[in-house]
Amino acid sequence: MLEDKIKDIESKRKKWDEHAERYDEWYETFKGAAENYVDWELLKGYLPKDRNAKILDAAGGTGRITLPLAKMGYSVTLCDISPAMLKVARQKLLKEGVLNKVQISECDVHKLRFADQSFDFVLCWDGMIEAAKELIRVTKKGGKISIFLVNKCGFAVNMFRENPDSALALLRSKSDYVYDEEERYMAVSVDEAREIFEKERIKVIEIYAVCGMLDLLSIPKEIQESRSWDEKFFRQVTEMLLRLSKEPSVKGLSRHLVLYGERI
Ligand SMILES: C[S@@+](CC[C@H](N)C(=O)[O-])C[C@H]1O[C@@H](n2cnc3c(N)ncnc32)[C@H](O)[C@@H]1O
C-alpha cells in the first residue's frame, strides 16, 4: 500500500517535471484563458480582505494562482512535488519582482511541512480529496479553503461513449477512483463533496462547476484551441460559464467542482 503511494507520487512528479515548460501555454488558448478567467472570478470573492494574510497554494505548479496573489500583496507559500514546475514558478516570480512575497517548498500535499493552523486561506487546485484532512489541519479556524475535486457525474458523462460499463459503475458507486490524464483521483458528486468536508468541520460555503463546460456550449475545437479571439465572444462565453458554474441544475456536468469552505 505504502509502496503504491510512493510509486504514485514518483510517477506524478515525473509527469509534471516533463510537462513543466509547456504547462502555461494551455492558458494562452481560448479554452485555457476562459477557464482561468472563471477560476479567478470565483476566487476573488473569497480572498482575505487583509493583504497581510498568509495563503497556501498547495500543488500550485507554475504559480498560475500564486503569482497574481503575490502581486496583490499577499504572503504566499507555494508547494508542489515537481521541482521543474516550481522552477518555472520561481523564474516568473523573479521576473515580476515578487519572489520576496513567496516561500517555495517542494513537498507532498498529503504530508505538509507546516504547523497546525498556519494559513488564513488554503488552496489546492488539483482534485486531491485524500489530502483534505491535511489541508484543513494547516488552515486557521475561521480561515477559508478552496479545493478542486473531480466531478463524478461529469466524468461519467464524458466516459460513457467510450466505456459505458465503467461510466455506469462510477455512477452507481458512492465515490470511486478514476483515471484523469493518467492520474488517479477520487471522483465525488456535489452532495458527497459537501458531506465529506462537513464531516471534517468545514462549513461549505459554495460548490461551483468548473472546467469542461465549454463542450456543453458546443464551441468548435478550432476556437477552443486558438490563441487569438474576438473579445466580445470571449466575454459572452465567460459570462455563460460563470452563470452555469453557479446553477444547481447543471453542476453535475462539469469536469471539476471547486469547493469553498470555512474552517470552524
Ligand atoms: C494540474 S497542475 C495544477 C497546478 C496549479 N494548481 C494550477 O491550478 O495551475 C497539478 C499540479 O499538482 C502537483 N501535484 C500532484 N500531486 C501532488 C502532490 N501529491 N503533492 C504536491 N503537488 C502535487 C503537480 O506537480 C502539478 O504541478
Side-chain angles (χ1 to χ4, degrees), residues 8-9 12-13 15-17 19 23-24 27 36 39 57-65 78-83 85-86 105-112 123-126 128 131 148 181 183 185 256:
D8 211 28
I9 295 288
K12 278 190 180 186
R13 179 180 289 124
K15 173 188 149 179
W16 287 105
D17 274 351
H19 199 63
Y23 180 77
D24 289 340
Y27 289 101
N36 186 47
D39 291 345
D57 183 8
T62 60
R64 171 170 76 104
I65 313 301
L78 167 67
C79 90
D80 201 282
I81 42 160
S82 159
M85 292 290 273
L86 291 175
S105 166
E106 190 187 316
C107 74
D108 178 359
V109 297
H110 303 88
K111 285 182 276 172
L112 295 170
L123 290 138
C124 182
W125 284 9
D126 190 46
M128 286 175 283
F148 266 49
E181 291 175 3
E183 287 186 46
Y185 292 100
H256 291 131

Side-chain angles (χ1 to χ4, degrees), residues 25-35 214-215 217-238 241:
E25 287 173 13
W26 185 76
Y27 289 101
E28 291 164 12
T29 64
F30 183 92
K31 185 175 186 182
E35 293 193 347
L214 277 183
D215 297 330
L217 305 182
S218 306
I219 294 177
K221 213 165 173 246
E222 315 84 77
I223 297 187
Q224 294 200 30
E225 289 173 2
S226 69
R227 278 156 203 276
S228 60
W229 49 78
D230 175 65
E231 270 312 311
K232 182 175 175 205
F233 185 57
F234 184 83
R235 281 199 306 277
Q236 288 170 323
V237 167
T238 48
L241 295 181

Side-chain angles (χ1 to χ4, degrees), residues 36-164:
N36 186 47
Y37 179 88
V38 172
D39 291 345
W40 264 98
E41 282 304 298
L42 297 174
L43 174 63
K44 275 195 251 173
Y46 295 92
L47 289 175
K49 301 254 177 301
D50 177 6
R51 295 284 167 115
N52 293 315
K54 287 179 73 188
I55 301 185
L56 172 66
D57 183 8
T62 60
R64 171 170 76 104
I65 313 301
T66 290
L67 175 61
L69 289 176
K71 282 179 159 180
M72 289 163 90
Y74 294 110
S75 301
V76 189
T77 298
L78 167 67
C79 90
D80 201 282
I81 42 160
S82 159
M85 292 290 273
L86 291 175
K87 185 174 163 205
V88 173
R90 182 185 297 277
Q91 284 162 351
K92 283 161 51 181
L93 293 162
L94 188 63
K95 192 169 161 215
E96 298 284 335
V98 286
L99 187 56
N100 62 331
K101 298 292 299 175
V102 181
Q103 200 191 326
I104 297 179
S105 166
E106 190 187 316
C107 74
D108 178 359
V109 297
H110 303 88
K111 285 182 276 172
L112 295 170
R113 296 181 185 144
F114 316 113
D116 296 358
Q117 298 198 48
S118 303
F119 299 97
D120 301 284
F121 197 104
V122 171
L123 290 138
C124 182
W125 284 9
D126 190 46
M128 286 175 283
I129 201 163
E130 304 88 335
K133 271 199 168 74
E134 189 60 351
L135 295 164
I136 294 165
R137 179 184 70 73
V138 300
T139 310
K140 287 182 188 168
K141 284 206 177 117
K144 300 249 168 47
I145 186 158
S146 168
I147 180 158
F148 266 49
L149 305 164
V150 173
N151 190 353
K152 185 166 85 175
C153 302
F155 205 90
V157 168
N158 276 323
M159 188 196 254
F160 185 78
R161 198 167 144 194
E162 291 210 342
N163 198 337

